[in-house]
Amino acid sequence: MSKQPKLKRRGFVMTGGGAKGLYEAGVVNAFHITGMEFDVISGSSIGAMNSIFFAEYLLRKKSLPAEVLADPEEAIRQMDNLVRCYHRTWLLMPAERVIDDSESGSLGKLVKDLEGFQLVLSDLVTLGWWSMEPQKGKLPPVQTWPAVSRVLGQLLQRLGGGSRLEGGRQFLRIWKDHRNQMLREILRTFLQKFGLEYSIIPSARDGQSGEDHKIEDMFTRRVTPLQAQHLDGAITDQIGGAGPEDRLLDPTRSLKDFLEQGIDVRLTRANYRTGRLEVSTYLSREDFLRYMERQAWRLEVSDPEKMPLGSFRLQLPGNPNAVKSALASGRFPGVFAPFSFQDIYLQETPENKLLYGMLAGPAWMSAPDVQRELTEAYFAVHGADASEEKWRKLLARWQRSDSMRKFFPYPTDAYVDGGAIDNTPSNSVVDATREWLDAHGISKREAVLELYVIFLETEPRISQEDMQEPLIYEVVQRTLAIQSAAAKSSDAVVVNTINGFGERADHLARSLLAVLGGLEKVRDEIDAEHYRELEEVIRTLVQEQAITGYLGSESGDILERMKKWAEETLAHRLPLHVDEIKVYPDKMSLSTLQFTERLGYRQQSGIEMITMGCYNTLWAMRNHLENLGADEFDEQDERALRLASRWMGVEDWPEPGQGGEVGAGAQAQLDALREVWKCTRKECVFHARHCLHGAGIK
């Protein structure tokens, strides 16, 4: 029984990390210049915004004339200006003051006000330590009164905008109306003066203008392409002949627009109320019905602990706005206020009518229009196999489930950073691939998911000297770094484990089919009595092992039942094989919140991040493609490898050993080659002077 080449699906995962997203902008460049395309794109946090741009890039590329697409290098040239606009947008980030740290901005005003706080550390320590005393009385002890007086005086002055009398009135109001939440209301009243009571970046509330639209504006306004002259001068300069302005993202673009062009985009978001993970993706009513038939049993659990946070990814029917979905995924806690559900799923969008009907009012799934649409979806999905009785029972069960309703959002819900729960959303790509295979009737073992995962931090290693007698803050800092890296890389271990068990089960099922095939060929040589004895022996052994999949009530035809069970297992019950290609940075030149120079941004660091993302991806991609077997190679692999080889300028790539394994000698060659190879793509604006593998950096 020979194994046929597997159908290949490609996925791309971008993780979160604020300003570190510049690295992903370089990754996108590597895929651009190698012509690599993807079926599924997933992202969280800033990775969600980069995902949306790359999906837009692929959508526009698909609209190029056929004769251009037939010439990969011409297609690159046609799309080059869009990518340069994208890179310039990222490098313009400090000028945008996403976090306004100027003296006239909200944050600057807060800092200036706090500079006038005439407090001493001893007062704060005295009051803080007393507040934690388990047996403390209603009033502070006499020895703390001087500290209380000084702190209270400063507090009243700030609550009153400089007037202690007005501050006293505010304090009395808070005491009267918010006695049970004194500290919260005092803090809110103080921060309200600066528009910072809800987030560092003020949001639009009660008709007031906010500043949290800046990232959206960056990606949806028109900008001219990045030029080499920008890198030595000011990114903000308008250079003549730079090329036409372009808009990176259409603000009205929906996720359905991408899916109709074969680009499945899935962005994670964390529901602030439920704490659960949700996925922004286009889902027709029929696809939602399929999703519910597969997953509803998980939503009917009575004990929430049986479904840990992050272990389930809720999907909703409807057509989310693409840009708004990305913004919802990137709501970094404290920096941005939670993002509204109604901004993601626009009520005027026709495909969202079912969703709002489901979520409106207390009658869960009981509105006539909702029942009608779900019923039509059920019969459309099942066709001749649809059962009116079965459907009515299924719908009634969903309607009765209080726990299911609690998992779904309300129209008044809001969202925070998807990376808070799932910062490496590989599972969303796996889900999308499984659903596509099921919809097309393709066995998961007949396909492979080639998954590129982009990490935004290196493994947190330190030198032997640095680990000697670390100070307390160094121990805490080191532990948090390990914890963060472990959370982001754990999915790779899960993927490898699932792949391992899947391969073993696949081999066992195929071995069983081989044995059964052999028995079938010699069946005519076995008389009926001996064949019945064989069936009885096999059924007895199966029964002793408590295997129920094909046991049956009698021994007759057990071999046929065993064959059907093995074929069904291969077709539908084994896990999808995932071939994961991980792209790690050599280092991180920027940290999460370094959006401006005051916060630590440097233009050279931004350039270094973009170029590093590109050359690391080229290396990881070529290393992967060079090790593929002939039966794993398709047309896109051939094109990407040819272009990567051309740009990398390396003709003699070390040959892998038997079975695709890299031997010690070849690995040493690769390690040396990784440091010295030089890019040949001189058209790149970074090539001449700003790329480690370009022409200028030694």
Side-chain angles (χ1 to χ4, degrees):
M1 185 183 298
S2 61
K3 294 180 66 174
Q4 296 296 318
K6 291 188 175 184
L7 170 69
K8 183 177 291 189
R9 298 283 287 176
R10 289 180 177 83
F12 179 31
V13 178
M14 292 205 217
T15 56
K20 298 177 184 178
L22 277 153
Y23 183 81
E24 293 172 338
V27 172
V28 167
N29 192 65
F31 291 139
H32 159 60
I33 65 174
T34 56
M36 184 62 79
E37 300 179 6
F38 295 89
D39 305 296
V40 190
I41 300 173
S42 179
S44 66
S45 196
I46 195 62
M49 187 60 75
N50 283 324
S51 295
I52 288 296
F53 168 75
F54 190 51
E56 180 76 14
Y57 166 91
L58 292 176
L59 183 147
R60 295 193 202 178
K61 183 179 178 181
K62 288 175 182 289
S63 68
L64 293 175
E67 60 271 19
V68 173
L69 292 174
D71 182 349
E73 293 190 41
E74 179 58 29
I76 292 170
R77 283 189 286 272
Q78 295 270 352
M79 298 301 296
D80 216 26
N81 266 355
L82 178 62
V83 175
R84 291 187 181 189
C85 290
Y86 172 55
H87 289 157
R88 183 159 183 244
T89 295
W90 258 113
L91 293 173
L92 280 167
M93 177 181 63
E96 291 301 315
R97 293 193 178 277
V98 174
I99 297 179
D100 188 356
D101 56 10
S102 66
E103 291 186 3
S104 60
S106 297
L107 192 59
K109 291 178 181 178
L110 172 64
V111 170
K112 187 174 182 180
D113 190 274
L114 291 175
E115 287 174 348
F117 242 92
Q118 297 176 6
L119 292 176
V120 293
L121 182 60
S122 60
D123 288 345
L124 297 179
V125 171
T126 297
L127 292 179
W129 196 248
W130 165 77
S131 69
M132 293 187 289
E133 170 59 49
Q135 304 301 324
K136 67 178 184 291
K138 293 184 179 180
L139 293 175
V142 174
Q143 63 268 28
T144 67
W145 287 4
V148 171
S149 176
R150 287 189 291 270
V151 171
L152 186 59
Q154 292 289 311
L155 181 62
L156 293 179
Q157 185 174 340
R158 269 144 189 84
L159 287 177
S163 167
R164 291 198 179 190
L165 181 60
E166 178 59 29
R169 292 194 184 101
Q170 288 281 12
F171 188 84
L172 289 175
R173 176 189 63 80
I174 293 170
W175 174 263
K176 177 183 176 182
D177 299 336
H178 304 278
R179 189 175 304 180
N180 295 330
Q181 292 185 309
M182 286 279 293
L183 182 60
R184 180 184 187 276
E185 186 61 18
I186 287 172
L187 185 62
R188 191 198 68 79
T189 302
F190 172 63
L191 292 176
Q192 187 180 35
K193 297 190 303 177
F194 312 101
L196 297 174
E197 68 268 42
Y198 301 110
S199 57
I200 291 177
I201 299 177
S203 300
R205 285 176 177 268
D206 302 324
Q208 301 296 318
S209 62
E211 298 178 4
D212 61 350
H213 57 80
K214 287 184 175 179
I215 290 182
E216 181 177 5
D217 289 347
M218 281 174 57
F219 282 85
T220 56
R221 72 178 177 210
R222 294 188 173 277
V223 64
T224 55
L226 181 69
Q227 299 295 300
Q229 301 96 301
H230 284 128
L231 303 180
D232 298 317
I235 301 295
T236 55
D237 288 348
Q238 293 300 321
I239 298 174
E245 289 185 329
D246 211 340
R247 189 198 305 254
L248 301 183
L249 294 171
D250 180 348
T252 66
R253 181 77 70 203
S254 73
L255 296 186
K256 180 182 179 182
D257 296 335
F258 294 131
L259 190 61
E260 288 178 338
Q261 296 299 320
I263 310 161
D264 193 341
V265 178
R266 307 215 168 186
L267 310 177
T268 57
R269 60 182 191 246
N271 188 301
Y272 182 74
R273 179 181 59 84
T274 67
R276 297 286 174 177
L277 192 67
E278 298 179 19
V279 177
S280 296
T281 183
Y282 169 66
L283 214 63
S284 68
R285 64 182 190 177
E286 289 78 17
D287 287 335
F288 177 68
L289 193 283
R290 293 186 183 96
Y291 170 82
M292 288 293 289
E293 288 189 306
R294 288 193 308 270
Q295 303 292 350
W297 64 273
R298 298 178 184 271
L299 303 175
E300 295 174 303
V301 296
S302 57
D303 182 2
E305 292 184 0
K306 292 181 179 178
M307 192 186 295
L309 293 177
S311 66
F312 184 78
R313 296 163 295 284
L314 182 65
Q315 297 181 30
L316 305 176
N319 184 18
N321 176 276
V323 175
K324 304 295 187 183
S325 294
L327 293 172
S329 182
R331 303 305 273 192
F332 194 88
V335 177
F336 298 96
F339 197 86
S340 167
F341 173 91
Q342 296 182 43
D343 284 337
I344 305 171
Y345 293 92
L346 306 180
Q347 285 189 290
E348 61 269 24
T349 301
E351 291 93 342
N352 295 338
K353 182 180 178 182
L354 171 61
L355 174 61
Y356 278 98
M358 285 173 50
L359 304 183
W364 170 238
M365 285 192 176
S366 295
D369 286 348
V370 171
Q371 292 195 27
R372 176 182 54 78
E373 289 211 45
L374 290 177
T375 300
E376 290 175 0
Y378 172 81
F379 282 92
V381 167
H382 292 282
D385 296 328
S387 164
E388 181 83 28
E389 181 182 1
K390 182 179 178 181
W391 166 239
R392 292 192 179 279
K393 288 181 179 179
L394 186 61
L395 180 59
R397 196 184 84 198
W398 293 350
Q399 291 172 329
R400 290 193 303 267
S401 176
D402 291 335
S403 63
M404 181 184 294
R405 178 62 190 95
K406 291 176 182 177
F407 273 103
F408 277 78
Y410 288 91
T412 54
D413 279 356
Y415 296 90
V416 294
D417 198 328
I421 298 176
D422 187 21
N423 202 27
T424 312
S426 302
N427 286 326
S428 298
V429 179
V430 175
D431 289 344
T433 306
R434 287 170 175 162
E435 292 162 15
W436 186 88
L437 293 172
D438 288 343
H440 289 79
I442 302 171
S443 163
K444 289 190 287 291
R445 302 311 291 179
E446 294 175 4
V448 60
L449 171 61
E450 193 173 76
L451 184 62
Y452 284 79
V453 183
I454 313 306
F455 293 89
L456 293 183
E457 61 182 81
T458 57
E459 292 189 6
R461 297 175 180 173
I462 60 174
S463 67
Q464 188 173 1
E465 292 75 18
D466 289 338
M467 66 176 288
Q468 303 301 317
E469 298 182 355
L471 299 177
I472 180 173
Y473 76 90
E474 293 174 322
V475 174
V476 173
Q477 189 177 51
R478 169 74 177 153
T479 303
L480 291 176
I482 293 172
Q483 182 184 49
S484 175
K488 292 177 182 178
S489 60
S490 61
D491 77 306
V493 177
V494 173
V495 165
N496 290 337
T497 302
I498 293 174
N499 282 345
F501 280 112
E503 288 295 334
R504 292 172 192 172
D506 183 275
H507 293 160
L508 286 172
R510 292 184 187 278
S511 297
L512 178 58
L513 287 175
V515 171
L516 293 171
L519 282 173
E520 192 171 318
K521 287 186 177 180
V522 300
R523 181 171 182 175
D524 293 340
E525 300 176 18
I526 304 175
D527 61 63
E529 183 178 350
H530 284 95
Y531 194 81
R532 282 195 298 272
E533 288 179 3
L534 175 64
E535 289 180 323
E536 288 174 3
V537 169
I538 290 175
R539 186 177 186 279
T540 299
L541 293 173
V542 168
Q543 193 169 23
E544 289 175 355
Q545 296 295 323
I547 300 173
T548 59
Y550 48 83
L551 180 64
S553 57
E554 56 184 26
S555 58
D557 293 330
I558 189 171
L559 296 179
E560 187 62 30
R561 294 197 298 272
M562 187 182 294
K563 179 181 178 182
K564 289 181 179 179
W565 176 85
E567 290 173 341
E568 175 68 17
T569 296
L570 284 172
H572 302 294
R573 294 174 183 166
L574 296 183
L576 174 70
H577 182 83
V578 180
D579 192 358
E580 198 169 41
I581 302 97
K582 291 168 277 191
V583 181
Y584 285 101
D586 300 329
K587 61 179 180 177
M588 264 295 132
S589 307
L590 293 173
S591 62
T592 302
L593 296 180
Q594 289 183 329
F595 289 108
T596 67
E597 291 189 357
R598 185 190 292 272
L599 296 175
Y601 176 87
R602 298 293 179 269
Q603 181 170 304
Q604 189 53 44
S605 297
I607 294 171
E608 187 176 72
M609 294 276 282
I610 293 177
T611 56
M612 189 194 312
C614 181
Y615 61 68
N616 281 353
T617 305
L618 284 174
W619 179 269
M621 181 192 304
R622 182 165 182 189
N623 200 27
H624 166 70
L625 294 174
E626 291 279 2
N627 291 320
L628 287 180
D631 61 338
E632 301 173 293
F633 217 68
D634 65 11
E635 184 178 342
Q636 187 171 165
D637 290 327
E638 186 278 328
R639 179 176 65 245
L641 180 56
R642 177 169 52 81
L643 288 168
S645 301
R646 175 176 176 181
W647 306 136
M648 295 178 72
V650 178
E651 296 182 3
D652 299 323
W653 193 268
E655 290 287 338
Q658 189 173 4
E661 296 294 329
V662 179
Q667 188 60 57
Q669 288 179 273
L670 284 171
D671 292 341
L673 184 59
R674 182 165 190 170
E675 300 297 323
V676 301
W677 70 271
K678 287 294 182 180
C679 179
T680 65
R681 191 169 187 265
K682 296 179 181 180
E683 300 91 336
C684 176
V685 296
F686 303 104
H687 184 273
R689 296 181 55 191
H690 296 277
C691 179
L692 182 64
H693 290 275
I697 300 179
K698 303 298 182 183

